[in-house]
Amino acid sequence: MNDVLTFLEANRQAHRDELFAFLRIPSVSAQSDHKQDVRHCAEWLRDAMTAVGLDARVMDTVGHPVVLGEWRGAGPNAKTVLIYGHYDVQPAEPLELWDSPPFEPVVRGGRIYARGSVDDKGQLYLHLKAIEAHMRVRGRLPINVIVLAEGEEEIGSDHLAPFVEQHAELLKCDAVVISDSAMFAPGIPSILSSLRGLAYFQIDVEGPATDLHSGSYGGAVVNPATALARIIASFHDRDGHIAIPHFYDSVREWDAAVRQQMRDLPFQEEHFRLETGAPALGGELGHTTLERIWTRPTCEVNGLLSGYTGEGAKTVLPAKAMAKVSCRLVPDQDPAEIERLIQTHVDRVAPSGVKVTVTFLHGGKPWRANLTGPIYDTARAALKTAFNREPVITGEGGSIPVVGDFARVLNAPVLLIGFGLPGENAHAPNEWISVENFERGAIAIASLWDEYASR
Ligand code: BES
Ligand code: MN
Ligand code: MN
């Protein structure tokens, strides 16, 4: 192993410079203005994969392209691993809140600041560098690898499940490995045991044909903003439980041992609160903060729009109101089933006098790991090598939509080992990845392949 680690050590600066080039490409999947940047980023990534010794190509989908790299030189009797990541990034707005421009990466205080640094370009790139270390030093890897990088994760991965189904034979593997999450705390390597799923929808409430004088009409015409507020208020009861009938029907109990491990983590509630800047924490009655985030479903308003919101007062009865809402789901909730429940519920509670429409934008299945088998045993060993510490088992409140599809279509275990850190500002201004984690992550992954091959 030492030879490979020496290569990574000797090339730290070069690897960081290369990552910077990756980060300079504004591959924002959500914004059509950036469509060409997304494609350019895919082509850049294909060339980076080729440079580390993979057979790489850009593959078109109905949406943004997939980049696929393969090396199968270990032969048919060796294990095959599928590495997944995403090269698209979230929009950088609001730009004025960044301390340095989002697509001009800089190192400050041991952190690389840029949009996509931790989510997920930095974490994807460290996988390429781990592959390169093996290839350069030994001319080969001890396992076969497939690297699958998508350009639509941040907009819901709509075209990836069909892609995986269509190319199931090509993607056949013994394990899927993903670095697109965070460690529990600095210096504590972590293995992720669950992801939440998602059902994202928009509610439109339409009332009068145009905005009306709220004196001349108010009280006699149903106010769309008030109607929408009533609908939203009906989503929860006073204890923070979701009040949509049958919402919890398919929630599966958490394994007692995993729950105990979660309770044993050194979690500091007040530290977490301070990090959010909120005056107090709050959520579903009867659950701890980590349980609320990792093990319970939610229903969150993501955006609200109605009426006059400019300077001063304007007496107006708005013609319409709109809300974006998303439910995070836990095993075995199914996004399609949840959509039906929401539609039925909204139809039932919608006040008369307005027209209410629910539009579903995207969904993703929740996922829970089984945490046993060779890839997990190996991951524990490799993380210990890189971080000098036993890893902990964590959960996650976020979603990676394709993970459930990998498990289902490829029938392979999925290992999620991320190298982000709490406070990394993913999706927010001033996103960063720790330089140390970028480097140790590559070491951990490089050792993972040696250890996995020997099991
Ligand atoms: N890398 C995240 C998922 C994640 C979030 C992992 C937090 C660990 C911690 C991923 O890029 C992401 O942001 N997913 C979206 C998915 C959505 C757009 C379908 C999410 O969770 O909101
Ligand atoms: Mn991500
Ligand atoms: Mn993300």
Side-chain angles (χ1 to χ4, degrees):
M1 195 63 220
N2 280 338
D3 48 349
V4 168
L5 301 193
T6 306
F7 174 87
L8 289 171
E9 178 71 24
N11 290 283
R12 287 164 63 203
Q13 185 60 48
H15 294 170
R16 198 185 306 171
D17 292 344
E18 293 163 25
L19 173 62
F20 274 31
F22 194 14
L23 293 172
R24 281 192 196 101
I25 308 170
S27 48
V28 183
S29 50
Q31 298 172 337
S32 46
D33 282 0
H34 285 294
K35 191 158 186 255
Q36 281 316 314
D37 295 318
V38 175
R39 174 158 293 272
H40 171 217
C41 194
E43 286 162 0
W44 186 96
L45 186 57
R46 174 200 58 204
D47 295 345
M49 287 186 190
T50 306
V52 306
L54 300 175
D55 214 338
R57 55 194 155 140
V58 173
M59 296 172 80
D60 286 327
T61 72
V62 178
H64 297 303
V66 163
V67 188
L68 194 81
E70 298 169 80
W71 186 84
R72 299 182 191 265
N77 295 324
K79 293 195 181 79
T80 301
V81 166
L82 172 65
I83 298 160
Y84 162 85
H86 62 94
Y87 67 87
D88 66 322
V89 301
Q90 285 275 327
E93 287 80 5
L95 298 179
E96 65 280 11
L97 296 185
W98 286 77
D99 295 330
S100 53
F103 298 107
E104 293 173 26
V106 289
V107 177
R108 285 196 304 272
R111 301 166 168 185
I112 299 167
Y113 283 88
R115 170 56 85 231
S117 54
V118 73
D119 188 11
D120 176 42
K121 286 174 171 174
Q123 300 202 64
L124 173 58
Y125 204 68
L126 66 86
H127 275 270
L128 295 192
K129 295 299 103 176
I131 290 172
E132 180 179 46
H134 279 272
M135 296 292 269
R136 282 285 164 78
V137 173
R138 302 181 190 157
R140 65 189 305 276
L141 282 153
I143 49 153
N144 300 306
V145 293
I146 310 163
V147 184
L148 168 63
E150 73 155 317
E152 299 194 309
E153 198 278 339
E154 299 292 9
I155 51 173
S157 300
D158 280 350
H159 305 106
L160 198 57
F163 181 95
V164 171
E165 270 161 24
Q166 200 185 331
H167 297 97
E169 201 47 44
L170 179 69
L171 301 175
K172 213 170 128 208
C173 60
D174 297 288
V176 181
V177 176
I178 303 176
S179 299
D180 187 23
S181 54
M183 308 202 313
F184 183 72
I188 306 186
S190 311
I191 296 176
L192 194 53
S193 72
S194 63
L195 289 164
R196 289 196 290 193
L198 197 68
Y200 200 116
F201 56 102
Q202 173 170 334
I203 308 174
D204 286 280
V205 179
E206 293 165 87
T210 93
D211 285 4
L212 300 172
H213 191 295
S214 70
S216 314
Y217 297 91
V221 174
V222 177
N223 185 313
T226 310
L228 179 59
R230 296 182 84 94
I231 295 169
I232 291 172
S234 76
F235 290 159
H236 296 87
D237 70 14
R238 282 163 187 275
D239 293 333
H241 302 303
I242 293 161
I244 299 166
H246 303 294
F247 192 85
Y248 293 99
D249 283 6
S250 38
V251 172
R252 173 158 49 103
E253 255 313 298
W254 235 255
D255 186 66
V258 174
R259 256 201 356 237
Q260 191 54 48
Q261 276 170 333
M262 287 179 184
R263 292 237 164 100
D264 292 342
L265 289 170
F267 181 69
Q268 290 168 351
E269 192 102 2
E270 181 55 11
H271 186 266
F272 178 83
R273 183 193 70 80
L274 281 171
E275 200 181 274
T276 68
L281 297 175
E284 192 183 3
L285 200 72
H287 294 277
T288 66
T289 295
L290 284 184
E291 281 174 357
R292 286 169 177 170
I293 303 171
W294 294 352
T295 74
R296 299 296 293 168
T298 64
C299 185
E300 296 286 336
V301 176
N302 301 120
L304 270 178
L305 195 67
S306 186
Y308 180 72
T309 56
E311 189 184 353
K314 181 186 184 204
T315 46
V316 65
L317 193 164
K320 54 191 183 181
M322 186 276 278
K324 306 252 186 196
V325 185
S326 58
C327 295
R328 294 283 171 174
L329 310 177
V330 301
D332 292 322
Q333 289 178 302
D334 174 50
E337 172 64 11
I338 294 295
E339 286 177 12
R340 275 193 294 278
L341 298 177
I342 289 166
Q343 181 74 62
T344 307
H345 174 76
V346 172
D347 288 347
R348 193 169 53 87
V349 300
S352 55
V354 287
K355 182 174 164 235
V356 179
T357 325
V358 182
T359 312
F360 290 92
L361 300 179
H362 58 73
K365 289 195 175 64
W367 169 83
R368 202 180 296 172
N370 169 344
L371 295 176
T372 55
I375 190 69
Y376 283 98
D377 297 341
T378 324
R380 287 188 196 97
L383 287 172
K384 193 167 175 198
T385 303
F387 290 88
N388 301 313
R389 221 207 108 120
E390 283 303 328
V392 295
I393 303 295
T394 64
E396 178 51 58
S399 312
I400 306 176
V402 76
V403 169
D405 299 308
F406 281 147
R408 176 177 56 86
V409 179
L410 305 178
N411 192 26
V414 185
L415 169 70
L416 281 122
I417 38 176
F419 302 102
L421 284 177
E424 67 199 6
N425 294 327
H427 296 201
N430 302 313
E431 176 181 350
W432 55 270
I433 186 170
S434 136
V435 172
E436 185 186 334
N437 278 15
F438 174 65
E439 292 168 356
R440 282 191 197 273
I443 294 173
I445 298 298
S447 4
L448 182 63
W449 303 146
D450 271 346
E451 305 250 3
Y452 189 46
S454 69
R455 299 259 165 176

